[in-house]
Amino acid sequence: MLGPAKLLLAPVLLWQGRQVRKRALQLPEAAGARVGQVGQGELKLRLLIVGDSSGAGVGAPTQDLALAGRLAAHLSLALDGRVHWQLVARTGHDSADARRHLAESELQPADVLVTALGVNDVVGQRRATHCLQDLDAIHEMARQRCGVRYSLHSAVPPMHAFPLLPQPLRWMLGAQSQRLNRRLARHLIGRRDRGLQSLPAHLHGAAAAQHMAEDGFHPGPAGYEVWAQALSQRLLRERRAWSPED
């Protein structure tokens, strides 16, 4: 039903999309270095994060309060040691852009890859098949170039809950984001070296607005905090897949 609905609503959706772009508040990426360490003592984990504007921390003032910093901090506390992290992310990137950005970047060794991608694929109306191919390529590149043992893909956020988006544009993008998540979940069945982590309940429904930045599109510091907690808990459950000690 999604295809016929898109055709029927196409004039409205195109007009709404142009209006959203005109009035959208343009927030900067989080300030700070894109490589760092958190914690003290023995090095427990090397983390690579690849993403779009949310990966880059738009909506947070500094990387310490964005996804990379909060995820590294949670993992460092849980593992009782140092976590080294590297961030390769840029505003506006879809999965294909992220693949090219990763290929052009100087990368450091990593045990785990976390991706924060998909919103711009949905907005750009890219085919799910192409998105999955790009994520496959990102995983393989990280494995070959960095030594990554496990990749955790963060699910596309619930775009049907984005306050910035009017209806029916919000409904349509939400439906497409959910469909991409379902396709990725099926694609990863049986893979022990890759996983998909859905966003926590705090970032769904009416509660999502309380955790978003002032632009109504990106997480704020509170949103990055709960997102990082969910990813950290999943990585700890999957420790056998990435830890050389196990």
Side-chain angles (χ1 to χ4, degrees):
M1 291 180 62
L2 189 56
K6 282 173 59 179
L7 289 175
L8 182 64
L9 296 171
V12 175
L13 297 173
L14 289 172
W15 181 83
Q16 287 185 332
R18 288 194 293 267
Q19 294 304 307
V20 167
R21 284 190 289 271
K22 284 181 181 179
R23 68 171 188 265
L25 181 62
Q26 301 296 318
L27 297 179
E29 296 179 354
R34 298 296 178 100
V35 177
Q37 290 193 94
V38 177
Q40 298 179 345
E42 182 183 353
L43 179 62
K44 295 289 188 176
L45 175 64
R46 300 169 301 179
L47 180 66
L48 172 63
I49 301 169
V50 176
D52 51 24
S53 55
S54 62
V58 170
T62 65
Q63 292 296 342
D64 289 343
L65 296 174
L67 181 64
R70 297 315 304 149
L71 178 55
H74 282 293
L75 289 167
S76 173
L77 183 63
L79 295 171
D80 191 25
R82 285 185 296 128
V83 172
H84 179 277
W85 60 270
Q86 180 178 9
L87 174 64
V88 180
R90 190 169 295 160
T91 297
H93 273 190
D94 60 23
S95 299
D97 297 321
R99 172 177 50 79
R100 289 187 287 268
H101 189 190
L102 190 65
E104 296 165 355
S105 298
E106 183 177 342
L107 302 177
Q108 300 188 13
D111 307 301
V112 167
L113 165 70
V114 171
T115 67
L117 293 163
V119 167
N120 293 311
D121 295 279
V122 171
V123 171
Q125 300 293 288
R126 298 189 71 226
R127 291 182 178 273
T129 300
H130 296 160
C131 301
L132 300 184
Q133 291 172 346
D134 289 325
L135 290 175
D136 288 347
I138 289 170
H139 165 77
E140 186 61 23
M141 195 185 310
R143 190 185 67 81
Q144 292 188 6
R145 292 186 58 194
C146 305
V148 160
R149 299 183 182 89
Y150 182 78
S151 292
L152 182 57
H153 304 287
S154 189
V156 185
M159 299 184 74
H160 59 274
F162 283 11
L164 173 70
L165 301 176
Q167 297 290 13
L169 181 63
R170 186 191 303 183
W171 166 82
M172 191 272 291
L173 293 179
Q176 290 185 303
S177 64
Q178 291 173 330
R179 183 170 66 178
L180 179 54
N181 286 335
R182 290 193 297 268
R183 287 285 304 274
L184 181 54
R186 291 197 297 269
H187 184 66
L188 297 178
I189 290 175
R191 294 293 300 263
R192 295 184 178 181
D193 59 345
R194 295 172 69 185
L196 174 64
Q197 177 58 44
S198 59
L199 271 68
H202 302 73
L203 298 181
H204 289 259
Q210 303 173 20
H211 293 79
M212 298 192 80
E214 56 184 323
D215 65 355
F217 198 81
H218 293 92
Y224 284 118
E225 176 69 18
V226 296
W227 185 10
Q229 286 178 351
L231 291 171
S232 173
Q233 291 168 3
R234 175 64 178 273
L235 287 174
L236 293 171
R237 293 197 301 271
E238 302 288 351
R239 188 172 179 179
R240 288 187 177 182
W242 56 260
S243 176
E245 300 175 0
D246 295 330

